[in-house]
């Protein structure tokens, strides 16, 4: 069987640290083309991860026109996610787009529509679903052990870890700060666990309280206040159509010791769970309260074949498997669209001071 031919568009941090190393471990694919506005980055990526005849481009349009591909991975800043993904789908390729799905909800909606029209697969890089603790908790939720989850929290809190490289602080390129960057992971994880994507209303607030203060204590080095034009923290409350409540909390800089990101807390009618000190499942048995901390190193996790496999490796393998076997990807674009709609509603609510109601 011939290998799937993959192109990487955007050869920056996320491509080099997650996407390309994981794809390189698969014997069912080969990376044949690399594109980046900075040609040197594409050249380095091609030398490290590409085939001997891998092509390098600075124009994604030229790449899509000249290369015969099966799959395109989009690893660019948020602003161009939709534009490039849609072009790749229209060219007949399956697309993995890094999170968040798009800068705006309307762009994300167009991505879903084009994927349906072209019959190509589209998935979004919510890699935290593929962690051992996440897969175990998903199995717990699907078994009914928690009952009906009617209250949940999506946690994405950093004390001082503002990303000071690239375009993270540029609202025009990214669409926002910690909410759209790391809050999106926590929200995706929470909605996926609940299997609830029917939103009634959203209220939210965003803050620029610490961004105008210089800080030498930042994990990634001091930020320049005048260049920090996205929020430093954002919070929202989502009411679902069935009455369930979801709280989302996100920050890059916040005066708190209660930190943790890509985590969820779930409260159901039969039990609850959280990821605050490793995965903990709680409930009541035989008239007593109990808390269980599963041994996640013992195997038996859904989708886990017993080998040592990182969440990024598992994400890549299962994405490629969905193409080869013509099955739905684990992260469905319709689910990612709802996440984008909620994030946008939080920003809108913060701007207007009013709740945003979904039709």
């Amino acid at each position: 069987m011939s290998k799937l031919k993959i192109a990487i568009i955007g050869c920056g941090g996320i491509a080099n640290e997650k996407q390309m190393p994981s794809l390189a471990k698969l014997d069912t694919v080969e990376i044949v083309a690399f594109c980046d506005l900075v040609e040197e980055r594409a050249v380095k990526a091609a030398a490290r991860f590409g085939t001997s005849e891998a092509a390098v481009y600075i124009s994604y349009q030229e790449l899509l026109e000249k290369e015969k591909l099966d799959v395109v991975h989009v690893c660019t800043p948020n602003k161009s996610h939709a534009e490039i993904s849609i072009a790749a789908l229209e060219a007949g390729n399956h697309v993995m787009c890094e999170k968040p799905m798009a800068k705006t909800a309307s762009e994300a909606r167009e991505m879903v529509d084009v994927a349906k029209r072209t019959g190509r697969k589209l998935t979004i890089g919510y890699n935290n679903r593929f962690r051992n603790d996440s897969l175990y908790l998903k199995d717990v939720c699907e078994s009914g052990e928690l009952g009906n989850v009617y209250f949940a929290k999506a946690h994405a809190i950093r004390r001082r870890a503002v990303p000071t490289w690239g375009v993270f602080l540029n609202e025009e390129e990214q669409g926002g700060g910690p909410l759209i960057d790391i809050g999106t992971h926590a929200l995706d994880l929470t909605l996926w666990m609940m299997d609830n994507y029917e939103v009634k209303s959203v209220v939210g607030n965003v803050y620029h309280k610490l961004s105008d203060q210089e800080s030498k204590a930042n994990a990634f080095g001091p930020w320049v206040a005048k260049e920090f034009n996205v929020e430093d923290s954002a919070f929202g409350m989502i009411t679902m159509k069935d009455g369930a409540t979801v709280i989302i909390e996100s920050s890059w800089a916040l005066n708190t010791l209660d930190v943790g990101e890509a985590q969820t807390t779930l409260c159901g009618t039969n039990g609850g769970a959280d990821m605050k000190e490793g995965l903990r499942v709680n409930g009541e048995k035989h008239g007593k309260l109990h808390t269980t901390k599963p041994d996640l190193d013992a195997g038996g996790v859904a989708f886990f074949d017993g080998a040592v496999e990182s969440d990024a490796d598992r994400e890549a393998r299962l994405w490629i498997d969905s193409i080869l076997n013509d099955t739905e990807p684990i992260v469905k674009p319709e689910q990612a669209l709802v996440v984008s709609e909620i994030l946008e509603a939080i920003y809108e609510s913060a701007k207007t001071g009013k709740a945003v109601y979904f039709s």
Side-chain angles (χ1 to χ4, degrees), residues 3-36 40-56 73 75 312-313 316:
K3 296 183 178 183
L4 294 177
K5 297 184 184 299
I6 298 181
I8 305 293
I9 300 179
C11 299
I14 199 68
N16 280 280
E17 293 170 20
K18 186 186 86 164
Q19 297 276 4
M20 294 187 292
S22 295
L23 289 170
K25 295 175 184 178
L26 300 175
D27 58 10
T28 52
V29 307
E30 55 184 6
I31 310 178
V32 300
F34 299 80
C35 179
D36 198 283
E40 182 183 1
R41 288 203 294 245
V43 170
K44 287 182 177 179
R48 183 179 176 192
F49 297 106
T51 61
S52 60
E53 299 179 350
V56 168
H73 280 224
C75 307
D313 291 350

Side-chain angles (χ1 to χ4, degrees), residues 187 191 196-204 235-248 338 341-350 354-359:
L187 181 58
L191 298 182
N196 191 345
Y197 294 89
E198 297 293 323
V199 183
K200 179 182 179 182
S201 63
V202 173
V203 294
F235 310 89
M237 185 178 80
I238 305 115
T239 301
M240 311 304 286
K241 288 183 179 178
D242 66 357
T245 299
V246 178
I247 302 294
I248 179 171
V338 175
E341 289 174 334
I342 291 172
L343 298 177
E344 186 168 275
I346 291 172
Y347 286 126
E348 182 180 343
S349 175
K354 299 177 182 180
V356 175
Y357 290 90
F358 284 48
S359 59

Side-chain angles (χ1 to χ4, degrees), residues 213-235:
Q213 305 175 28
E214 304 292 344
S215 174
K216 296 181 180 180
N218 188 51
F220 303 116
W223 63 78
V224 178
K226 64 181 180 180
E227 297 175 359
F228 198 150
N229 56 32
V230 295
E231 81 276 2
D232 51 44
S233 59
F235 310 89

